[in-house]
């Protein structure tokens, strides 16, 4: 047997399987020929041991709490880079030169407006619709407006669609917010940077001058960087699976948004803040810790735990720092929710249950406090996550389309239903 192969013996059949090496992190056992050789499938609901694709975009070492984009640590990107630079990095694989950055920023900025008819879409939604519901609908609808960038076999059209989505997502997110609160839409202003433009579209009103606070804009930009990509998480895998059938990128990203909405994924930032509000005072924390540990209680500490990180989520550390910066800039000396979060974290990190299960704060634990201080209602939190994650989805989608091994994603199953049986006419049942 080849040294690069592994031999698996099952049910009297032996199968020779290829080992594939990673640059860092675990290698994989390629089981693509397992069924052919043994007539057996593998079983791994939740994909705890299964790599669904090959990727060179993002790497996570969950035990060490490391997150790299194209090899660069998230801490360095968040400290020194800006969001559009990270977008360029994720899409093209390298950090841009000054000239490439200028050109990229220009190309994104000149796609920020959405088709005017899109604004009429919004009025079809109830005012009290959750903005994530609105986003699912409106982003999916982009494919009805931008036919000239839906041919996925054309690399140029793929890039135009990618830039369109990165550029238009803040505009749509701000429109969802404005519609929700009954204010007029604010058009993008292309001489502002990405984050400032977004803050202005959310918080400016036509009757007053709006001056963007650079500290808050920088914090917003950093929040976008922290959410830009996270390898094969549930929503990214959804985008890839949707795209594997050849669906257009706008439809695929809409599918990603729908998946992100769930409280176990992107919806956790909204759920975490709601939880902190419900806890209300520091003295009630032990009650909630006890509930989180109780097997018979479905309650979980939102913003805690992660499928991959069995250490502190590196994004949570930066988010905590950003929360302090934003509160400091806004002169919020005592935020009871921040006090509860800090104390909750302290207790959880010293509690045997959380230590044993390696449950640490994740990115969503401090993001809600920061976003609330920036002025966003909880219902917008996951929308902001979707806005930032769009580049990750689209970079992963592009990588999949360009992968020569790409085929339609089609998992198999362990069937446990009735064996074949004869139809019984209704009169005889
Ligand atoms: N509070 C209390 N117990 C927990 C928590 C929590 N937040 N998270 C996991 N556990 C326990 C869980 O009960 C289980 O215990 P046992 O082994 O006794 O059954 C054990 O830890 C392992 O949990 P799991 O559900 O098997 O782990 P998972 O990898 O399937 O789930 C998770 C990961 C993120 C869905 C989960 O930790 C969770 O629900 N956390 C709260 C929601 C949250 O903050 N999500 C945001 C994730 S980061 C951003 C993103 O991806 O969008």
């Amino acid at each position: 047997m080849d040294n690069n192969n592994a031999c698996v013996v099952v049910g009297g059949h032996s199968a020779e399987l290829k080992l594939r090496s990673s640059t860092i992190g675990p290698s994989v056992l390629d089981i693509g020929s397992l069924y052919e050789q043994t007539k057996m499938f593998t079983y791994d609901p939740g994909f705890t041991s299964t790599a669904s694709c090959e990727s060179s975009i993002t790497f996570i070492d969950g035990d060490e709490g490391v997150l790299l984009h194209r090899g660069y640590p998230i801490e360095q990107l968040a400290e020194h880079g800006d969001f559009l630079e990270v977008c360029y990095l994720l899409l093209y694989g390298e950090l841009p030169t000054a000239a490439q950055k200028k050109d990229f920023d220009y190309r994104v900025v000149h796609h920020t407006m959405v088709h005017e008819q899109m604004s009429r879409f919004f009025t079809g939604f109830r005012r009290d619709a959750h903005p994530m519901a609105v986003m699912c609908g409106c982003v999916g609808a982009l494919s009805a407006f931008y036919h000239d960038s839906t041919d996925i076999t054309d690399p140029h059209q793929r890039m135009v669609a990618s830039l369109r989505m990165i550029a238009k997502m803040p505009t749509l997110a701000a429109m969802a917010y404005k519609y929700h609160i009954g204010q007029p839409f604010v058009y993008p202003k292309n001489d502002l940077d990405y984050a400032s433009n977004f803050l202005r579209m959310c918080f400016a009103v036509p009757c007053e001058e709006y001056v963007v606070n650079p500290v808050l804009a920088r914090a917003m930009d950093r929040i976008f960087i922290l959410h830009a990509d996270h390898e094969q998480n549930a929503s990214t895998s959804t985008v890839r699976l949707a795209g594997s059938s050849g669906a257009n990128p706008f439809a695929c990203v809409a599918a990603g948004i729908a998946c992100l909405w769930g409280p176990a994924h992107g919806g956790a930032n909204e759920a975490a803040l709601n939880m902190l509000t419900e806890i209300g005072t520091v003295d009630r924390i032990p009650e909630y810790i006890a509930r989180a540990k109780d097997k018979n209680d479905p309650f979980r500490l939102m913003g805690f735990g992660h499928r991959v990180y069995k250490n502190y989520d590196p994004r949570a550390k930066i988010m905590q720092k950003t929360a302090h910066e934003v509160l400091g800039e806004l002169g919020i000396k005592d935020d009871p929710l921040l006090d509860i979060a800090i104390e909750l974290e302290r207790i959880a990190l010293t509690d045997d249950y959380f230590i044993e299960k390696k449950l640490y704060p994740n990115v969503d634990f401090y993001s809600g406090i920061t976003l609330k201080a920036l002025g966003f209602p909880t219902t917008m939190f996951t929308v902001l996550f979707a806005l930032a994650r769009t580049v990750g989805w689209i970079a992963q989608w592009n990588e999949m389309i360009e992968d020569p091994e790409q085929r339609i994603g089609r998992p198999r199953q362990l069937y446990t239903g009735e064996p074949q049986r004869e139809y019984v006419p209704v009169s005889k049942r």
Side-chain angles (χ1 to χ4, degrees), residues 61-204:
D61 181 336
D63 295 327
E64 296 299 323
V66 171
L67 169 61
L68 310 176
H69 292 316
R70 303 286 192 184
Y72 296 103
I74 188 68
E75 292 83 355
Q76 293 179 22
L77 294 170
E79 180 76 25
H80 307 296
D82 70 27
F83 179 66
L84 286 186
E85 191 178 19
V86 173
C87 290
Y88 186 100
L89 177 68
L90 292 171
L91 286 172
Y92 295 101
E94 294 296 338
L95 286 169
T97 62
Q100 287 167 332
K101 170 87 168 69
K102 199 170 161 216
D103 174 63
F104 183 74
D105 288 7
Y106 179 88
R107 283 189 290 149
V108 171
V109 153
H110 287 84
H111 278 297
T112 48
M113 273 178 58
V114 292
H115 194 290
E116 193 57 22
Q117 219 166 321
M118 281 291 302
S119 59
R120 285 188 226 139
F121 252 74
F122 285 83
T123 50
F125 289 100
R126 285 169 54 138
R127 283 268 176 213
D128 60 356
H130 194 290
M132 277 300 273
V134 175
M135 289 301 281
C136 288
C138 289
V139 174
L142 287 176
S143 49
F145 286 90
Y146 301 103
H147 304 281
D148 58 343
S149 55
T150 52
D151 177 359
I152 64 160
T153 62
D154 176 353
H156 173 71
Q157 290 202 29
R158 288 207 300 273
M159 194 43 77
V160 173
S162 305
L163 294 181
R164 276 187 168 144
M165 263 183 282
I166 294 166
K168 293 184 199 308
M169 203 58 96
T171 313
L172 289 175
M175 287 168 88
Y177 173 57
K178 287 297 199 189
Y179 183 71
H180 194 50
I181 58 170
Q183 287 185 3
F185 298 140
V186 175
Y187 285 100
K189 198 164 183 294
N190 292 349
D191 58 350
L192 292 175
D193 64 78
Y194 193 85
S196 301
N197 193 19
F198 176 61
L199 288 177
R200 186 178 163 280
M201 286 190 288
C202 288
F203 300 123

Side-chain angles (χ1 to χ4, degrees), residues 263-266 268 292 295 300-307 310 315 353-354 357 359 362-364 385:
H265 194 5
K295 277 242 157 282
R300 284 186 168 200
L301 276 194
M302 299 315 284
F304 259 78
H306 198 275
R307 169 62 62 76
K310 299 302 167 201
R315 302 168 301 171
Y353 173 92
F354 291 86
K357 296 192 188 300
L359 298 171
N362 59 49
V363 67
D364 291 323
F385 193 156

Side-chain angles (χ1 to χ4, degrees), residues 200-231:
R200 186 178 163 280
M201 286 190 288
C202 288
F203 300 123
V205 284
C207 45
E208 273 173 30
E209 246 346 276
Y210 179 81
V211 182
V212 183
N213 177 326
V215 176
L216 303 186
R218 176 70 189 125
M220 188 78 258
D221 194 73
R222 198 173 299 133
I223 292 170
F224 291 157
I225 294 175
L226 295 182
H227 289 90
D229 190 45
H230 214 228
E231 54 119 306

Side-chain angles (χ1 to χ4, degrees), residues 22 30 37 50 67 90 116 193 219 234 278 294 303 371 399:
S22 57
D30 184 340
Q37 297 188 64
T50 300
L67 169 61
L90 292 171
E116 193 57 22
D193 64 78
E278 189 186 313
D294 182 355
L371 295 174
E399 183 179 61

Side-chain angles (χ1 to χ4, degrees), residues 241-305:
L241 194 56
S244 76
S245 72
N248 77 68
F250 302 106
C252 296
V253 167
I257 294 176
C259 176
L260 185 76
W261 195 0
H265 194 5
N269 53 13
E270 180 176 345
L273 197 88
N274 290 340
M275 176 191 77
L276 294 175
T277 311
E278 189 186 313
I279 294 175
T281 49
V282 168
D283 59 302
R284 293 189 64 204
I285 292 175
E287 181 193 323
Y288 283 82
I289 296 269
R291 283 188 61 193
K293 288 157 60 173
D294 182 355
K295 277 242 157 282
N296 301 317
D297 188 330
F299 175 78
R300 284 186 168 200
L301 276 194
M302 299 315 284
F304 259 78

